[in-house]
């Protein structure tokens, strides 16, 4: 994949050795200082991080995510922790490395940020859904008192040790009390969790920060289809190499959005002479004037955002999930349009949390959380069949049948070679049907056991809440509400890029 991604994860030393001139680190640190002051998070530890960011040789490990309610799915926090861990491992006095969390406040997909899931001690799933308006950048949406009331209601009903619930509730109340936008509340929550680990939060819609990114957007306006052409060229090369591209740019689509007077964020298209958003037409000069007056109203699409991010930041590494790595495979040449080298893409750490009651079940079944997530009924059913020595559903029994039918096929072919093809087809159909019946029997065992003990339901709630793998659905605060600070400390004791299952004691 080095044809598509400049540096592999093992290229960390090369990424660290590369210089990032041309970044006004003093202006960046001051803009971030103003941002944290506006959030109410300009504490001593934040001041110290900003002072180090202003160092002329500083570098950044950046990650980011949409501003999900109550921090969103667990991987939003996992990414933030990984950025802090990686920055800590690379940090040197003469060349500071700072972790930055880029809040996707420009994003306008309400469905991505409006809901989250928590699981309490009574095994009740709490699915919190807020009525977030569609189409507007999350950073423009003012936080509503009704959302605060919904969150307080969930916390009031959440069964957890009083001490831990009180601590998490206090953390949430501090984030809510500052008001501001939907993204501001998210920023305070992430800051409260990980500022002590060395993480700075960043909102690209904050005026002073948006102003620093304006030159990159101005360059994009000068050649508005160039980045789209590079993305499409990479898509074609990926397809020829046997991969499915994640990004496509239709004819005329730029990588720029405009926030219009009605508050809606709309993609700009370019016909070679003028731009249009679907509601109105713009000249280049009009968009340049808008950029000058309020740079936060012109924002990058997914195909441009990483490059714009790295015109602002002296990025050493970008901590990304699997989907973002797939995007990154199409963006190497987009960076070059802006005079940049694509930074190292660091695959984020991944954690599946096992609470004590689930650890006991998983151990008894002799399985893993990943195997349960892939096939919960099959895992439980096969374990029960093995316990009961139910040979009828064993792989060994199926293998024996296959061998007998194979031998029979050979014997029939020896008698009449014209029968070999029909016999082979019959063998394949028969073994496939028997395997299907075995699978049905295994799943019936699992359902019967679940009716008796609820084990399958418990495993699914913990590891596949709402049918989605835990890390992509369960809110990280679930674990702090039930187990205190231990899960956060466990997370921050991992090595950068770690992947696996963690048992909460």
């Amino acid at each position: 994949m080095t044809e598509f991604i400049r540096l592999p994860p093992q290229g960390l030393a090369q990424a660290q050795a590369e210089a990032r001139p041309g970044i006004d680190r003093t202006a960046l640190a001051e803009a971030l200082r103003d941002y944290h002051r506006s959030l109410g998070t300009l504490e001593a530890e934040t001041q110290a991080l900003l002072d180090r960011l202003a160092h002329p040789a500083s570098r950044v490990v950046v990650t980011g995510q949409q501003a999900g309610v109550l921090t969103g799915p667990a991987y939003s926090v996992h990414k933030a922790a990984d950025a802090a861990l990686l920055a800590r491992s690379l940090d040197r006095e003469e060349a500071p490395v700072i972790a930055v969390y880029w809040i996707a406040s420009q994003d306008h997909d309400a469905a991505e940020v409006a809901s989250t899931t928590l699981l309490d001690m009574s095994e009740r799933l709490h699915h919190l859904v807020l009525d977030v308006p569609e189409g507007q950048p999350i950073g423009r949406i003012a936080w509503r008192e009704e959302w605060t009331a919904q969150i307080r209601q969930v916390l009031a009903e959440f069964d957890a040790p009083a001490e831990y619930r009180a601590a998490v509730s206090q953390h949430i109340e501090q984030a809510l009390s500052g008001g501001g936008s939907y993204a501001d509340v998210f920023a305070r929550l992430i800051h409260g969790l990980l500022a002590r680990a060395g993480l700075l939060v960043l909102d690209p819609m904050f005026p002073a920060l948006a102003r620093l990114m304006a030159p990159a957007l101005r360059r994009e306006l000068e050649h508005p289809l160039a980045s789209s052409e590079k993305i499409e060229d990479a898509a074609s090369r990926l397809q020829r190499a046997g991969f499915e591209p994640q990004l496509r740019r239709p004819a005329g689509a730029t990588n720029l959005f405009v926030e219009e007077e009605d508050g809606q964020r709309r993609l700009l298209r370019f016909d070679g002479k003028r731009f249009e958003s679907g509601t109105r037409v713009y000249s280049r000069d009009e968009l340049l004037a808008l950029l000058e007056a309020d740079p936060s109203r012109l924002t990058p699409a997914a195909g441009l955002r990483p490059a714009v991010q790295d015109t602002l930041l002296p990025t050493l590494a970008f901590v990304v999930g699997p989907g973002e790595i797939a995007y990154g495979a199409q963006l190497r040449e987009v960076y070059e349009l802006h005079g940049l080298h694509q930074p190292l893409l660091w695959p984020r750490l991944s954690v599946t949390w096992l609470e004590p009651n689930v650890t006991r079940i998983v151990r008894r079944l002799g399985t893993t959380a990943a195997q349960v997530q892939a096939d919960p009924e099959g895992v439980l059913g096969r374990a029960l069949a093995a316990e009961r020595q139910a040979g009828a559903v064993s792989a060994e029994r199926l293998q024996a049948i296959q061998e007998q039918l194979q031998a029979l096929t050979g014997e029939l072919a020896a008698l009449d070679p014209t029968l070999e093809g029909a016999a082979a087809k019959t063998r394949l159909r028969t073994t496939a049907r028997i395997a299907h019946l075995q699978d049905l029997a295994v799943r019936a065992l699992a359902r019967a056991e679940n009716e008796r003990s609820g084990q399958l339901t418990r495993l699914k709630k913990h590891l596949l809440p709402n049918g989605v793998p835990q890390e992509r659905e369960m809110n990280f605060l679930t674990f702090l509400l039930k187990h205190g600070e231990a899960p956060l400390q466990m997370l921050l004791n991992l090595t950068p890029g770690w992947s696996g299952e963690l048992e909460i004691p």
Side-chain angles (χ1 to χ4, degrees), residues 360-442:
R360 288 191 292 271
I361 297 174
V362 168
R363 285 181 178 173
R364 185 176 72 79
L365 297 178
T367 188
T368 66
Q371 290 170 333
V372 172
Q373 289 172 331
D375 183 13
E377 289 86 358
V379 165
L380 179 58
R382 285 189 292 272
L384 292 169
E387 284 181 5
R388 300 177 189 184
Q389 298 181 332
V393 296
S394 68
E396 292 77 14
R397 188 66 172 274
L398 182 62
Q399 179 64 31
I401 293 170
Q402 288 174 325
E403 290 172 356
Q404 290 175 349
L405 290 174
Q406 181 70 45
L408 180 59
T409 298
E411 292 172 19
L412 290 172
L415 295 173
D416 183 353
T418 65
L419 296 176
E420 183 173 11
K425 289 180 182 178
T426 300
R427 183 186 79 248
L428 292 173
R429 284 197 301 267
T430 301
T431 54
R433 183 60 182 163
I434 291 171
H436 178 63
L437 292 172
Q438 285 184 319
D439 187 60
L440 291 176
V442 160

Side-chain angles (χ1 to χ4, degrees), residues 12-89:
L12 197 54
Q14 180 182 341
Q16 193 171 14
E18 294 175 348
R20 273 304 308 274
I23 298 284
D24 188 341
R25 290 165 170 84
T26 300
L28 171 62
E30 285 308 307
L32 276 168
R33 201 179 308 275
D34 288 345
Y35 168 61
H36 277 272
R37 186 179 292 112
S38 76
L39 274 184
T41 55
L42 192 59
E43 300 142 358
E45 57 204 6
T46 305
Q47 293 270 28
L49 288 172
L50 291 168
D51 289 344
R52 303 191 76 239
L53 180 61
H55 189 288
S58 73
R59 302 293 298 280
V60 159
V61 174
V62 63
T63 193
Q65 193 60 36
Q66 287 117 325
V69 59
L70 290 182
T71 71
Y75 72 77
S76 295
V77 176
H78 296 167
K79 289 171 88 174
D82 203 15
L85 292 169
L86 184 59
R88 183 193 305 166
S89 73

Side-chain angles (χ1 to χ4, degrees), residues 252-270:
T254 73
N255 279 297
L256 292 169
F257 281 89
V258 62
E259 182 188 344
E260 298 191 299
E261 285 74 10
D262 62 359
Q264 296 291 295
R265 182 178 185 242
R266 297 184 175 97
L267 181 69
L268 286 169
R269 295 178 179 274
F270 185 66

Side-chain angles (χ1 to χ4, degrees), residues 298-334:
L298 201 66
T299 53
L304 180 63
R305 193 193 67 76
V308 171
Q309 164 190 285
D310 296 335
T311 63
L312 175 68
L313 302 173
T315 303
L316 186 160
F318 185 12
V319 177
V320 291
E324 292 162 312
I325 290 176
Y327 278 14
Q330 294 178 248
L331 303 184
R332 180 174 178 172
E333 293 180 355
V334 175

